Amino acid sequence: MSQAIGKTALAYARVWHLVDAKERVLGRMATGIATTLMGKHKPIYDPAADCGDYVVVINAKHVKVTGRKAEQKVYRSHSGFPGGLKEIPYKTMLEKNPEQIIIKAVSGMLPKNRLRDYRLGRLLVYPDAEHPHENNIIKRFDEALVGTPESKPAKK
């Protein structure tokens, strides 16, 4: 009997997931997205293999953060030259480029290896509800799949 019976092309097939970011907490949503991009939800998960799925995020400009992060969070980038540090507050980033907020959050939750860019390439983020991937979507994330407190079993 073959040892590779579960590692078929059907098992590695990529599924398209849709996530609606409206009124979702950024961190909790990003952990679920990172898990899906890595393929940890599949029984064939291998850290060295790229077996994750596609994730389409809509309504990125309606994402929420908890606490005082809306006033305190700052996105930093450096050009490499002296004095080349740029700091963009969360509120400014939300107005100008809301897709980058979700991309940066998910990027920080993925492993820092050479598969990271390939996995991020399967993350498609749109600021509004319109997107060109409607025919590809097979699964839709609901509250139970993303890891919200309601999805955890109650303590007895």
Side-chain angles (χ1 to χ4, degrees):
M1 184 177 235
S2 173
Q3 293 294 323
I5 196 161
K7 306 261 181 177
T8 61
L10 184 60
Y12 278 102
R14 299 195 193 280
V15 177
W16 287 68
H17 300 264
L18 180 69
V19 178
D20 190 358
K22 186 175 256 188
E23 302 300 321
R24 287 276 179 89
V25 177
L26 177 63
R28 290 190 179 272
M29 182 181 64
T31 55
I33 292 170
T35 301
T36 305
L37 289 174
M38 286 188 283
K40 288 185 105 174
H41 63 291
K42 294 182 176 184
I44 58 157
Y45 171 69
D46 179 16
D50 192 17
C51 60
D53 292 338
Y54 286 90
V55 178
V56 178
V57 181
I58 58 172
N59 292 321
K61 64 182 179 183
H62 300 292
V63 71
K64 299 292 180 197
V65 290
T66 58
R68 296 184 58 202
K69 292 185 196 83
E71 297 92 33
Q72 295 176 344
K73 189 162 183 61
V74 177
Y75 293 95
R76 292 183 177 93
S77 62
H78 201 287
S79 66
F81 292 99
L85 179 66
K86 287 188 178 180
E87 294 183 341
I88 304 172
Y90 173 81
K91 287 186 177 182
T92 307
M93 183 78 93
L94 189 63
E95 293 169 4
K96 291 185 177 179
N97 201 355
E99 303 94 358
Q100 283 300 313
I101 291 175
I102 295 176
I103 291 171
K104 286 181 182 285
V106 173
S107 175
M109 294 181 185
L110 288 172
K112 281 59 173 183
N113 57 23
R114 68 181 119 144
L115 292 176
R116 184 187 206 181
D117 291 333
Y118 294 113
R119 290 170 174 162
L120 278 176
R122 289 193 309 273
L123 174 63
L124 306 162
V125 185
Y126 297 97
D128 296 316
E130 301 89 35
H131 63 92
H133 309 288
E134 194 63 45
N135 296 335
N136 298 337
I137 303 298
I138 294 175
K139 295 185 178 180
R140 298 182 188 279
F141 273 80
D142 57 354
E143 292 293 327
L145 292 175
V146 179
T148 56
E150 297 86 30
S151 68
K152 294 182 180 165
K155 293 181 181 178
K156 293 182 180 180

